[in-house]
């Protein structure tokens, strides 16, 4: 599992890395941009040619994104130069047919030392080529279930991105930036990655340990509007939690009926689900804000620091104070020497 840790950064001693981006028709423009822009910025901020990028399509012709914007490419699969890594920028939604040539090419690359990556649904193509067998990998939350079902030998996670050996996969969208920033930090150090993050006004670089948040409606379907309404109320009332009776009253059901809905569809009770939401929010604040532990506890509906600390330790295995002490190994720590170009 890839984690942020300054102690494992490898300083670059050779020439620029050459990363290829294989664009499939209807690729996600935001995921592609989030992946390639940090490399361009690494050269600008770092004051050197740290990375070269090569855009590739199946036939060497321009490729239209899901938005309809066409991008010119540098070469076809037949003319592709030597690369350190190639990232498959998959179609949105997944194109399950018409990928035979690309899959065949990917299989041939598995016999080389080149790293293979998937951006968004690009992970699906890697799995089709058998290149994710026994590897940890991720994909956009919409496609997690199908990836697990079709490729049981792939260790599918819900994480934002996964770096497992020479396999790089991410869930798409802005998670592609987090993955690239991780790779840049590993190659050139955290200071450069943090400076790139600041240039993009990207407040916090996320680690691979962080999971995608799957919308409740996607998890349970739209057939349970009362349950979705109750969870929405919870999310809107973190600082002053509502009682289970109040939640039931607001959504127009009995307490017992609400508890049955939570038990059946979420395998928990309303109070436990609510507590987990509040603790998750507290964890984000501990990692991202300068608020005191007491302030964070109060902001998440805990009446005292001791109550907050006990609940947090029971849930995460560490106290809020210990969580804060772990921060020097994460990308949003002030101890990482973050500095902008302006000094």
């Amino acid at each position: 599992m890839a984690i942020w840790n300054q102690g494992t950064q490898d300083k670059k001693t050779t020439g620029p890395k050459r990363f290829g981006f294989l664009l499939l028709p209807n690729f996600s423009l935001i995921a592609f941009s989030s992946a390639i822009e940090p490399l361009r910025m690494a050269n600008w901020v770092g004051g050197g040619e740290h990375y070269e990028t090569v855009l590739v399509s199946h036939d060497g012709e321009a490729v239209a994104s899901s938005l309809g914007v066409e991008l010119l490419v540098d070469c076809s699969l037949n003319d592709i130069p030597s690369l350190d890594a190639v990232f498959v920028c998959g179609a949105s939604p997944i194109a399950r047919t018409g990928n035979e040539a690309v899959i065949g090419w990917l299989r041939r690359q598995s016999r080389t030392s080149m790293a293979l990556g998937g951006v968004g649904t690009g992970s699906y193509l890697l799995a089709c080529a058998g290149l994710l067998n026994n590897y940890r990998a991720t994909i956009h939350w919409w496609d997690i279930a199908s990836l697990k079902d079709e490729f049981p030998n792939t260790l599918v996670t819900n994480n934002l991105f996964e770096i497992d050996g020479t396999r790089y996969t991410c869930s798409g969208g802005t998670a592609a930036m987090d993955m690239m920033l991780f790779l840049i930090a590993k190659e050139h150090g955290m200071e450069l990655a943090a400076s790139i993050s600041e240039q993009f006004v990207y407040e916090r670089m996320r680690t691979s340990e962080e999971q995608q948040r799957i919308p409740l409606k996607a998890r349970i379907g739209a057939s349970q509007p009362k349950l979705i309404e109750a969870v929405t109320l919870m999310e809107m009332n973190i600082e002053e939690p509502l009682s289970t009776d109040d939640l039931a009253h607001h959504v127009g059901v009995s307490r017992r009926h609400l508890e049955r809905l939570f038990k059946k569809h979420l395998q928990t009770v309303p109070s436990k689900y609510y507590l987990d939401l509040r603790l998750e929010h507290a964890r984000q604040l501990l990692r991202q804000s300068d608020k005191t532990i007491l302030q964070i506890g109060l902001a998440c509906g805990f009446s005292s620091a001791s109550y907050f600390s006990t609940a947090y330790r029971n849930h995460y295995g560490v106290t809020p104070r210990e969580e804060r002490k772990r921060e020097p190994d994460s990308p949003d720590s002030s101890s990482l020497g973050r500095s902008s170009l302006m000094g």
Side-chain angles (χ1 to χ4, degrees), residues 100-117:
E100 292 75 16
V102 171
I103 292 172
W105 182 85
L106 287 169
R107 285 178 178 149
R108 292 192 293 274
Q109 306 318 302
S110 68
R111 297 189 288 269
T112 71
S113 60
M114 181 172 64
L116 299 168

Side-chain angles (χ1 to χ4, degrees), residues 60-80:
E61 298 296 322
V63 187
S65 71
S66 57
L67 192 61
V69 177
E70 288 196 343
L71 263 65
L72 299 175
V73 300
D74 300 303
C75 60
S76 68
L77 287 178
N78 294 329
D79 302 318
I80 198 167

Side-chain angles (χ1 to χ4, degrees), residues 50-68:
H50 299 303
Y51 296 95
E52 295 178 3
T53 57
V54 179
L55 303 190
V56 186
S57 70
H58 169 232
D59 54 7
E61 298 296 322
V63 187
S65 71
S66 57
L67 192 61

